[in-house]
Structure formats: C-alpha cells, structure tokens
Amino acid sequence: MKKEMICIVCPVGCHVSIDTKTHEVQNNKCKRGERYAKKELLNPTRMLTTTVNIDSIHQRRLPVKTTDAIPKEKLFDLMDLLESVEIKIPVNLGDVILSNVFDTGVDVVATMSLKD
Amino acid sequence: MKPYDIVIIGGGAAGLAALKGAYDKSLNICLIERDKTLGGILKQCIHNGFGLHHYNEELTGPEYAERGIEEVLGLNVDIFTDTTVVDVVKENGTFELMLMNTKKGEHRIKAISTIISSGCYERTRGAIQLPGDRPAGIMPAGSAQRHLNIDGYMVGKKVFILGSGDIGLIMARRMTLEGAEVLGVAELMPHSNGLTRNIVQCLHDFDIPLYLSHTISDIKGKSVLESITISEVDENFDYIEGTEKTFEVDTLLLSVGLIPDINMFDSLKFEVSKKTGGAIVDQTYQTSVEGLFACGNALHVHDLVDFVTEESTKAGQQAKAYILNNKKRSKNTLYVTPSSNISYILPQTLDMDDDFNEVVLSLRTTTNALTGKFHVYQGETLLFSEKAKFVVPAEMEKIKIKKEHLKHSGPISILFEVVSQ
Ligand SMILES: Cc1cc2nc3c(=O)[nH]c(=O)nc-3n(C[C@H](O)[C@H](O)[C@H](O)COP(=O)(O)OP(=O)(O)OC[C@H]3O[C@@H](n4cnc5c(N)ncnc54)[C@H](O)[C@@H]3O)c2cc1C
Ligand code: SF4
C-alpha cells in the first residue's frame, strides 16, 4: 500500500508517497524528503501545546508545552492526563507541570509566569 | 503637567519593542495598555512557531511575550495597564490623550510624540456578508481562541471553519484536541492562505477536510446555529449549483482577515492606506501627522511576530531621534508605489532629507509563484531586479534599496514577474 503525504521540511512542499511495506519513497525532490516520509510512517512525533487550570485572577488557564516532541498517538492521552491538573500561583515560565510523561523523558512545562 | 516626550499606545509585541527602541535615560516615556497585563495577542497564541528569526529558537506566543516584557521591566518609564486610550487630538504641536480606567475614570495626558501600536481586529460576519439566518454561534476564530486559551471555555462542540488562514487552522487542531468535532475548513480561493506545516499538522493529522474554492452558501438556525451549507465556486466566485454540502454544527469560526485597529485615532486625521487599512508612513514610520508614528499590526497586518518586533524597534528609535534631534519633517518626499502583482509596499513614502543609507521595503504579492523576479524602478529607469522563490501572498517579502541608487526622477515602483508557478 502507498501512503501519501506532504513533506514540510522545506517550502517546496513535495507531495511524496511511501510504500508501507518496502518503505520506498517517491516524488521527493531530495534526500530529506525520504527521511521525513520514513519518520512520519514509522514514528511520527509532535509537540503538544495546550492549557491547564490555574487559580490566577488574570486568567483561568495556564499555557503549557511539552519540552520535546512525543509520539503522535499519545497526544489525546496526554490531553486526558492534563485535564485533572490544577496549578496554584505563583508559577514561573519553565516550571515542570508533569515530568517524564509516558516514560518518554519529555516534561510538560509552563510557558507563562503568573504571580497573582 | 509637563508633557511626556513619547507615549506608546498598546503593550503587545509592537508596543514593547517600540518602548525598547525609544528608551533613553533623558526621555520621559509612557506606555498605555488596555488589558490588565502586557503581551497583547501573543498571550492567547499558545502554540509554537514564534521567534525563529528574532531569538533563533522556537517559542510559544506567551514565551515570546514574556521575553519582551522582561526586556522593558527594569526601564525607568511609566507603564499604565488596565487603561484605555479613548481619543487623541493634536493641538498647538502637542498630542493630548484622553485615557479611561476604573481608578481615575477619564483623565488626560500630553505628549510631544505618540506611537500607535494598538494591534488589529478580526473581520466579522458583517464585513464579509454571509447569507442566511443570523443565529448565535458565529464568531471570529481569534475570539474563540481567547475564550478557550485564557478564559477556559469551549465555544462549541461541532465546529466548521471558514477561511484557511493560520489562525483558523491552529484553532481546528486546538478544538479537536479539546474534544470538539471539527467537520471541515472552507476556503474561497483555490489555494490555502496558511503555512503548509499548519495544513499538515492541524488538518491532515486529524483527518479534517479542507474544501478549496468553497464558501458558505447558507446558514440555518433560529436562535442558535443549526447547520451551514457550503458550495463550490467558479472563477468569478459564483456558487456552482449542485455542489452543496450541509453540515450540522453549533459553531462557525471565521478566519477571514485582520484589519489594523486605529478607529480611535480618527480625530488625528492622518492619511490611511486603502490597501493596508493602516497609516501611510515614511521610512521612519512617521505618519502624515508630524510626531505621530505607527508600527506592528496597527500599521499593517504581519504574519510573523519577529517582523513586528524588528519594525517596532525601528519605529521607537525613530521617535527617539525625532525628540532628541528636534527633527522637522522635510518636503522632499519620494513615493513608493505597487505595480503589477504587488498588493502593497511599506513604507509608502521616503523622506529623502532623512539621513539613511538603505531602506528595507516590506511588500506582499497578489499571486503565488514557485520562482519569480521583483523589478524595482525609479520613474522609467530599472534600478535592479531580484530573484525570489516560493512567493505567496500570505508571507511578507522584503527588498532593500540603497539611497545612492535613488538619483533618478519620479516615484519608486516595484512589479513582480512570475517565472514559474
Ligand atoms: C489570532 C492571531 C494569531 C497569530 N498567530 C501567529 C503565529 O502563529 N506566529 C507568528 O509569528 N505570528 C502570529 N500572529 C502575528 C503576531 O503574533 C502578531 O502580529 C503580533 O503579536 C502583533 O503584535 P502587536 O503588538 O502589533 O498587536 P497586539 O498583540 O494585538 O497588541 C496590541 C495591544 O494594544 C492594546 N490596545 C489596543 N487598543 C488600545 C487602546 N485604545 N488603549 C490602550 N491599549 C490598546 C491591546 O490591548 C493589545 O495589548 C498572530 C496574530 C493573531 C491576531
Ligand atoms: S523532499 Fe526535499 S525538496 Fe521536497 S519538500 Fe522535502 S525537503 Fe523540500
């Protein structure tokens, strides 16, 4: 079977296709497209940016992010995990909200400081 | 009361950079922000992708804002938050600003120079004339973003998005992750206005369909939104019969454009560009009113905050120079005009008596091109041509012109030649 995808490594945006069995990549204009397609097929990862509850007077939600990309299929699981998180002020940018999520070595950290 | 040397209106990315650029120990500077905190629109843009040019790393919106705030916190200036500028007039060479806040009510301050960095607002349904009923549940995507990311509530559960700009795409992913069902995105043009990365990571990742050359042809709902219908359009943007698709949704998000937010400055009567919706400025970011400067999204809508910071720092520096050097506006003005395939160029004028070696022009094309050439003319004389790759209207292009080139007569004009598409 062939899987179609758009390479996003550079602005050309080649519409590449990859064979799901042989991993042969087609229609890529350069090597980087081949690497991208294989990674997207075998181990696609994404950063997650979202928000969690906070008791600040300025805003009800605190923005957070993963410190690195996590497996794509874990995105919704991580959203579920973060739903029950309640943060108390003060919080500083970079404070760890959850550490080593799903044993990936990746933390979830605050992306804003909130003091009151 | 002694007037301020410089008053900056708006404390988003633009106002913060302008403050940093304008700062000087000998100057009396004030920044006014309507919100309770500084940072502007960046605070609600919780996603990644900011700062690659300016800080050489990928930051989220709030992180970018916090850096900007930290850079100005130690400065000896007056920063008034939770305070709105409601009117500005210029009398006897001095600006008078009417301010409003809960503590002092209405009060006034004076300034020798003023910088407008009040950002932009989103086009609403009235501006694009949607057909059908007018139920609740239709709102600009940026408003929904603010409600979700700051106020903490979802505006709906079954969502359709009109317009494929980046804000719409980002919200498609965001609402999906929060448990909403996003049924699709419709785009009037045959190509998306968003970055390819956002098409892939916000739509493809979640199997959200993108309907190109489609727009809303009907809206149904008595008090609340019940359904929307989209139709394919032909080259003249007329509906093609028989292509209708109906979606049952409770929310329609509009991502159909941003406009500089400068209505509150009407009394100043500066010249406004029809193309950008912002002030007409020279290379010092000075408007047609002497001592009045503009930058950021209040001047023209930017796709990258990094360029907002760069531009606004310069605007601040120019306001500082205006005060310190007691500069007067010259009459030696050169006009910069867009020609074929260019929608606008900024600045629109050059003050030729100003002391500059080169000027960077920001411009947008009206068409996509894989490769193309910019041709820069003064009058009938071709000054130079420059190759460009991957040109899209949604991304701003930059061209440098040296003052020494400008020795011919007539205005500067730039045209864009598409080489391959
Ligand atoms: C919804 C949205 C999403 C975006 N996403 C991205 C992205 O993914 N990547 C990227 O690089 N760029 C993005 N941008 C662009 C970039 O972030 C903005 O161009 C930039 O932050 C704008 O800065 P600004 O200071 O001009 O405007 P703003 O941040 O809007 O700041 C204007 C400030 O002025 C204040 N103000 C307005 N009127 C008054 C008044 N009368 N009195 C007092 N204060 C006033 C406002 O409260 C606000 O704080 C996005 C822009 C928007 C609108
Ligand atoms: S395959 Fe190469 S040329 Fe094509 S988009 Fe990817 S990086 Fe760019």
Side-chain angles (χ1 to χ4, degrees):
Chain A
M1 218 185 71
K2 286 227 163 78
K3 206 178 159 199
E4 310 285 328
M5 51 181 89
I6 303 174
C7 175
I8 57 170
V9 176
C10 89
V12 178
C14 294
H15 289 249
V16 300
S17 75
I18 180 163
D19 190 301
T20 50
K21 276 218 187 79
T22 64
H23 302 167
E24 190 203 341
V25 180
Q26 280 172 330
N27 301 330
N28 54 314
K29 286 211 174 79
C30 79
K31 270 273 178 207
R32 289 178 298 168
E34 188 177 324
R35 236 178 292 140
Y36 174 82
K38 282 187 183 156
K39 173 106 192 335
E40 278 292 291
L41 180 71
L42 302 172
N43 175 30
T45 59
R46 297 285 185 269
M47 298 277 294
L48 179 69
T49 57
T50 181
T51 61
V52 295
N53 279 318
I54 182 139
D55 61 347
S56 159
I57 54 163
H58 295 302
Q59 46 191 78
R60 307 269 309 273
R61 307 287 291 182
L62 171 75
V64 299
K65 70 171 186 186
T66 51
T67 50
D68 208 340
I70 59 165
K72 194 170 132 188
E73 81 270 5
K74 290 275 191 251
L75 287 179
F76 281 98
D77 297 340
L78 185 52
M79 288 296 291
D80 285 345
L81 212 57
L82 287 167
E83 197 163 348
S84 56
V85 171
E86 305 262 354
I87 300 297
K88 296 236 174 294
I89 51 164
V91 80
N92 280 307
L93 194 154
D95 280 359
V96 175
I97 302 298
L98 281 182
S99 65
N100 190 20
V101 291
F102 310 117
D103 265 332
T104 51
V106 173
D107 298 338
V108 175
V109 296
T111 55
M112 183 187 274
S113 307
L114 279 169
K115 305 274 146 99
D116 50 5
Chain B
M1 199 187 74
K2 197 172 166 269
Y4 282 103
D5 292 305
I6 303 171
V7 171
I8 299 167
I9 305 173
L16 291 168
L19 179 55
K20 210 180 141 198
Y23 183 72
D24 188 277
K25 276 202 206 90
S26 68
L27 295 182
N28 208 353
I29 306 181
C30 167
L31 183 146
I32 296 157
E33 168 56 51
R34 183 172 55 192
D35 257 7
K36 287 196 174 65
T37 54
L38 300 172
I41 200 87
L42 287 169
K43 286 179 291 183
Q44 70 182 58
C45 300
I46 63 160
H47 54 277
N48 239 317
F50 300 80
L52 279 170
H53 296 265
H54 191 64
Y55 293 114
N56 267 321
E57 61 182 296
E58 195 170 9
L59 303 170
T60 64
E63 290 173 307
Y64 192 98
E66 204 157 315
R67 290 204 183 182
I69 294 168
E70 269 165 13
E71 287 170 12
V72 303
L73 271 190
L75 304 181
N76 183 17
V77 295
D78 285 340
I79 296 181
F80 300 128
T81 53
D82 213 358
T83 303
T84 303
V85 178
V86 286
D87 196 20
V88 188
V89 292
K90 192 179 181 193
E91 266 162 20
N92 308 324
T94 311
F95 293 93
E96 194 169 295
L97 292 85
M98 167 94 78
L99 312 184
M100 183 79 117
N101 64 20
T102 42
K103 271 198 206 120
K104 287 197 203 163
E106 234 177 58
H107 56 293
R108 286 162 206 272
I109 57 170
K110 288 188 173 166
I112 301 168
S113 165
T114 298
I115 303 178
I116 298 175
S117 52
S118 47
C120 61
Y121 65 92
E122 293 180 278
R123 293 173 77 181
T124 53
R125 102 166 260 177
I128 52 165
Q129 294 174 347
L130 288 176
D133 297 341
R134 308 190 129 252
I138 304 174
M139 71 174 70
S143 304
Q145 186 180 48
R146 184 179 171 94
H147 290 318
L148 184 55
N149 293 344
I150 294 183
D151 308 329
Y153 68 88
M154 286 263 274
V155 293
K157 282 275 160 204
K158 291 187 89 177
V159 183
F160 198 90
I161 297 172
L162 178 63
S164 67
D166 286 311
I167 306 170
L169 301 179
I170 296 275
M171 278 309 284
R173 170 175 65 190
R174 184 78 187 105
M175 296 208 57
T176 306
L177 282 167
E178 288 287 354
E181 193 184 347
V182 178
L183 291 131
V185 176
E187 168 59 54
L188 181 68
M189 305 301 286
H191 50 82
S192 161
N193 283 318
L195 297 173
T196 311
R197 178 171 103 151
N198 285 337
I199 302 276
V200 171
Q201 298 196 342
C202 299
L203 300 186
H204 296 182
D205 269 9
F206 303 101
D207 298 318
I208 299 169
L210 171 61
Y211 300 97
L212 295 173
S213 298
H214 275 75
T215 191
I216 306 261
S217 52
D218 197 17
I219 292 175
K220 284 210 158 55
K222 286 196 190 67
S223 54
V224 293
L225 181 60
E226 285 159 23
S227 72
I228 59 128
T229 301
I230 61 169
S231 296
E232 198 173 334
V233 295
D234 60 23
E235 314 81 83
N236 305 317
F237 302 119
D238 291 324
Y239 303 137
I240 302 173
E241 240 176 272
T243 60
E244 298 83 6
K245 289 186 195 65
T246 298
F247 300 87
E248 280 174 26
V249 291
D250 58 23
T251 305
L252 173 64
L253 297 185
L254 308 175
S255 174
V256 290
L258 303 163
I259 304 167
D261 193 2
I262 53 171
N263 294 336
M264 61 263 193
F265 308 114
D266 278 353
S267 323
L268 285 171
K269 297 197 175 60
F270 51 84
E271 281 175 52
V272 171
S273 153
K274 281 204 184 72
K275 282 289 169 52
T276 60
I280 290 179
V281 293
D282 63 20
Q283 79 275 23
T284 72
Y285 299 98
Q286 194 166 184
T287 68
S288 60
V289 171
E290 192 156 353
L292 182 70
F293 296 78
C295 58
N297 280 357
L299 178 59
H300 60 137
V301 173
H302 294 66
D303 36 293
L304 282 180
V305 67
D306 308 65
F307 291 163
V308 170
T309 300
E310 188 184 307
E311 171 185 291
S312 307
T313 308
K314 284 191 205 154
Q317 288 163 345
Q318 292 291 349
K320 171 167 75 181
Y322 173 79
I323 301 280
L324 291 178
N325 310 344
N326 202 3
K327 254 195 342 201
K328 285 277 161 280
R329 148 98 27 93
S330 80
K331 296 269 177 292
N332 190 0
T333 303
L334 193 63
Y335 288 88
V336 185
T337 52
S339 187
S340 310
N341 295 330
I342 306 278
S343 73
Y344 75 80
I345 310 174
L346 209 122
Q348 294 91 345
T349 65
L350 296 183
D351 175 352
M352 294 307 285
D353 287 340
D354 183 50
D355 179 24
F356 70 97
N357 295 326
E358 64 173 26
V359 33
V360 182
L361 302 176
S362 301
L363 48 113
R364 286 183 197 275
T365 60
T366 52
T367 138
N368 286 28
L370 211 52
T371 57
K373 274 186 198 152
F374 290 103
H375 301 292
V376 182
Y377 289 86
Q378 183 174 17
E380 305 285 301
T381 318
L382 177 65
L383 299 180
F384 61 91
S385 300
E386 208 169 279
K387 284 186 190 158
K389 269 185 180 175
F390 316 118
V391 178
V392 290
E395 286 176 41
M396 211 152 69
E397 297 289 327
K398 302 217 171 211
I399 289 180
K400 274 186 199 158
I401 298 187
K402 289 200 162 54
K403 192 176 187 181
E404 62 190 29
H405 285 154
L406 302 173
K407 44 186 177 253
H408 310 270
S409 63
I412 299 171
S413 65
I414 302 181
L415 72 83
F416 181 62
E417 177 199 349
V418 177
V419 177
S420 65
Q421 226 151 6

